[in-house]
Amino acid sequence: MAGSDGLETYLVRARELGALDARVIDAESVSVAAWVRLKCRYGCGGYGSSLCCPPNSPTPEETREVLRGYRRALLIHRKTQEGLTAMMVALERELFLGGHYKAFALGSGPCTLCRECSLDHCAHAGQARPSMEACGIDVFATARANGFPIEVVTTPDSDRNHFGLLLVD
């Protein structure tokens, strides 16, 4: 497990902002796989409709390269996807202002900041972030490797688990 030196405040802050749980994890524990983007391409109606979604988001290869530049990350768990990416961006800003200049957030699900993305220029570049899935991150494997609950949602009343990732340093 990655050292949480100096990050406890941000774990508390994540909970204040609505996280069910938040943990410091080793960046090496983030699982990236090419098949994840296939699920976006052939399973999501948002494919190609946003600068935050494939094929416009970082590829799995790019994501692996980015992850090599980090030692620690925060994995944030919520029961709802609504507002998760905004929460992650707020935490990213707090970490940055706290001296973690490499802080970068990844959210959950497609970007919903605009009714329709221009695909030429992001009108909300300060708030828009790709989802973990859009970057090829296997959220199930990553969550499970770090002790979080996650199962396939099979019924409308099934437990839902959503995650955001905040790369720290």
Side-chain angles (χ1 to χ4, degrees):
M1 180 72 67
S4 59
D5 298 339
L7 297 179
E8 293 84 3
T9 302
Y10 301 104
L11 299 176
V12 169
R13 182 70 177 130
R15 290 180 188 98
E16 290 172 354
L17 292 172
L20 182 63
D21 197 2
R23 299 181 189 163
V24 177
I25 66 167
D26 288 317
E28 289 180 353
S29 72
V30 177
S31 178
V32 180
W35 67 263
V36 176
R37 283 175 53 118
L38 285 177
K39 300 287 267 183
C40 290
R41 187 172 186 175
Y42 298 105
C44 178
Y47 182 83
S49 65
S50 164
L51 291 173
C52 291
C53 288
N56 304 305
S57 56
T59 66
E61 294 77 22
E62 291 170 323
T63 300
R64 282 187 199 96
E65 182 63 27
V66 167
L67 287 169
R68 279 193 279 277
Y70 289 88
R71 192 172 47 90
R72 301 181 298 173
L74 303 182
L75 189 57
I76 309 298
H77 177 214
R78 286 181 56 156
K79 288 293 184 180
T80 179
Q81 187 175 31
E82 186 177 341
L84 177 57
T85 300
M87 182 184 92
M88 298 305 297
V89 171
L91 282 169
E92 173 192 303
R93 176 132 177 91
E94 290 183 27
L95 274 154
F96 176 79
L97 293 174
H100 299 277
Y101 66 92
K102 289 170 54 176
F104 188 78
L106 296 170
S108 176
C111 182
T112 58
L113 293 171
C114 297
R115 175 175 243 120
E116 187 175 326
C117 185
S118 74
L119 298 178
D120 292 323
H121 169 73
C122 182
H124 300 281
Q127 295 84 36
R129 296 293 182 279
S131 68
M132 295 169 67
E133 301 89 343
C135 297
I137 294 174
D138 180 341
V139 177
F140 280 77
T142 301
R144 288 174 177 161
N146 288 287
F148 283 101
I150 187 168
E151 297 298 330
V152 173
V153 174
T154 57
T155 65
D157 60 337
S158 291
D159 241 6
R160 292 178 180 352
N161 293 286
H162 298 276
F163 294 88
L165 184 68
L166 185 46
L167 303 173
V168 179
D169 56 19

